[in-house]
Amino acid sequence: MDGNYVALAVTLVVWLGLFLFLRGLHKRIRKLEETSK
Amino acid sequence: MPVNSAGLVAKTIAVYAKDVRLEFRNRYATSVVLMFAITTLAMISFSIGQGSLAPRLLAALFWIALFFSAMAGLSAAFVREEESGTALALRLKADPTAVYLGKLLFNLTLLSLVTVVVTPLFFVMTDAATDQIGAFVVVLLLGVIGLCAATTLVGAIISKAAVKGALFSVLSFPILITLLLMLVAATARVLDGQSFGGILMELQGLFAYSVVMITASLMLFRFVWRE
Amino acid sequence: MIWQWVLFVAMGVLIVMSFITPAPQQQIGESSRIFYYHIPQAWLAVVAFATSMIYSIRYLKRREASLDDRAAIANALGLVFAILATVTGAMFAKVTWGTYWNWDPRQTSIFVLLLIYGAYFSLRGAVTGDERRAAMSAVYSIFAFPPAVFLMFVFPRLTPSLHPSDTIVDKNMKFAMTTDVASILFGSLVLFTVLYIWMFNLAARVYKMERARREDD
């Protein structure tokens, strides 16, 4: 059962990283789109 | 553009005849493909050495030899047009459907010729045997048609690219795996002594494959040819 | 952007659920939890492949550069998900069958999908001229579709396979999937698809800006 919690923690960290990356990208793209208009 | 069928046949034959004449003059594709096939066969036979192999292995080796031979020569039909600069003239004169069908016929002729040479050599070199000659010939025929059905359009695509030779096999292989799996399964059964009854499903699959790929090629070819 | 936070929390809940509920397949045990991630990845690899074919057809009809961009993006995302599905599948195969790779029909078909994605990008790299590259890769994308579909959906059902059947209906019968398992799997499919659409949308906007900048120069 312990292994499951380790895997759970790793998966959550991966998801947090991916989410923050995509969110940052989203913000930057929006800013660029606004300046290029 | 509407083309009446008599005109289409005549134009197809004209494209085909031109290619055959050209090929007969310099034997550009034929010699390469034949030498490639014989080299592959010799390598297979050499590495087997003495002793005989299971039908499945023999079938796989046989189609690998034919696959590589096809890869060596079947792109010539279009690459030659682009390299000699005759593609433009042909594009102005002929209808794309006629061009595609002419090239398909040419590739069929070329690969049939190779198969006629390779098959007896293969049986001699690997000591394979089958008493189901009829079934074997039908599988062979469907295999040759399938190989040409899938690779003629790919040949047209790569004639527009920068690195032609390697790209041809890279693009063809994923499309041909489906065909090769069916061909190996059918050939293995035939070498194992089964007749038409045992390979009915594979025969249907092979037939469907060729029909689908030729239909798709006919629809897509004009987009490649126009560029 | 409220939907982003909804996605963030929902995926977080899903991840927790996938690890604390009982394993979906009792005989296989804890390792069967990989289903919740492997199936959506394989599904998206196929969805991306179909997306790219549809955009390729639309490109050949309308000849708009943005449609070619989208076909290329779908293929790039499809390549990523196909690699993920292959890796998770091989890990699961090692645990349950004892080998990473044994040319099971499912492995053959995902391998072919990988080859098609690879071939597609080789072709794009080898053709010069924007319009010519777009047309050639669109034709290849469409042409590679029928044999790959046969390999993915017909071939595995004709050949004996060790792979647990992956359609939800088959699974239901085979594994007697409980409603808990079914709802986590369904939620995972939905959330992964939302993630795919988000990534697709971001990439399409980047490509559009790049194109506009190139045209300005």
Side-chain angles (χ1 to χ4, degrees), chain B:
Chain B
M1 60 191 125
V3 182
N4 64 50
S5 57
L8 184 64
V9 171
K11 279 178 189 159
T12 303
I13 291 171
V15 172
Y16 173 68
K18 189 210 63 150
D19 267 12
V20 171
R21 238 186 352 255
L22 209 68
E23 182 58 40
F24 201 72
R25 211 177 298 149
N26 57 19
R27 294 178 198 84
Y28 171 85
T30 322
S31 56
V32 168
V33 177
L34 273 180
M35 282 316 292
F36 206 97
I38 292 167
T39 313
T40 317
L41 268 185
M43 269 174 66
I44 288 172
S45 166
F46 186 70
S47 50
I48 295 174
Q50 306 282 315
S52 55
L53 291 176
R56 205 179 152 81
L57 272 177
L58 280 175
L61 289 175
F62 177 76
W63 285 108
I64 287 171
L66 267 188
F67 167 78
F68 278 113
S69 318
M71 287 300 100
L74 287 192
S75 63
F78 284 107
V79 172
R80 188 160 44 195
E81 299 280 358
E82 292 291 331
E83 278 175 355
S84 61
T86 49
L88 195 66
L90 193 60
R91 198 160 5 210
L92 290 174
K93 263 197 319 208
D95 167 64
T97 309
V99 174
Y100 173 75
L101 290 175
K103 301 287 184 188
L104 178 67
L105 276 181
F106 176 75
N107 278 348
L108 280 172
T109 313
L110 185 61
L111 198 60
S112 307
L113 190 74
V114 175
T115 314
V116 166
V117 176
V118 164
T119 314
L121 273 175
F122 180 80
F123 276 93
V124 170
M125 282 181 168
T126 61
D127 222 18
T130 179
D131 43 6
Q132 301 294 338
I133 307 288
F136 189 82
V137 170
V138 169
V139 172
L140 214 53
L141 204 65
L142 284 170
V144 168
I145 295 172
L147 277 171
C148 294
T151 53
T152 303
L153 184 76
V154 177
I157 293 177
I158 63 116
S159 71
K160 315 279 180 184
V163 276
K164 295 179 172 64
L167 199 61
F168 187 47
S169 27
V170 167
L171 295 188
S172 300
F173 184 58
I175 297 176
L176 286 176
I177 290 179
T178 309
L179 176 75
L180 290 171
L181 283 171
M182 291 190 286
L183 283 174
V184 170
T187 311
R189 298 241 182 90
V190 170
L191 289 177
D192 218 14
Q194 295 198 41
S195 186
F196 289 106
I199 54 170
L200 214 57
M201 210 166 68
E202 279 86 358
L203 290 182
Q204 287 169 348
L206 288 169
F207 181 73
Y209 181 89
S210 297
V211 170
V212 169
M213 295 321 268
I214 290 175
T215 313
S217 301
L218 280 172
M219 292 192 314
L220 292 169
F221 181 70
R222 61 200 173 95
F223 296 110
V224 180
W225 190 233
R226 233 193 256 151
E227 286 301 317

Side-chain angles (χ1 to χ4, degrees), chain C residues 14 18-19 22-43 88-89 92-93 96-97 162-166 171 174-175 177 181 184-186 188-189 192:
Chain C
L14 190 96
S18 74
F19 281 104
Q25 221 287 356
Q26 292 301 327
Q27 281 152 311
I28 295 172
E30 297 298 315
S31 64
S32 64
R33 292 180 197 282
I34 207 166
F35 284 156
Y36 296 132
Y37 302 90
H38 174 70
I39 293 171
Q41 286 157 3
W43 148 255
T88 51
F92 187 63
T96 51
W97 308 336
L162 293 171
H163 187 284
S165 288
D166 71 349
K171 228 179 147 97
K174 240 184 188 168
F175 288 133
M177 192 159 57
V181 175
I184 298 174
L185 181 62
F186 182 71
S188 179
L189 281 169
F192 265 90

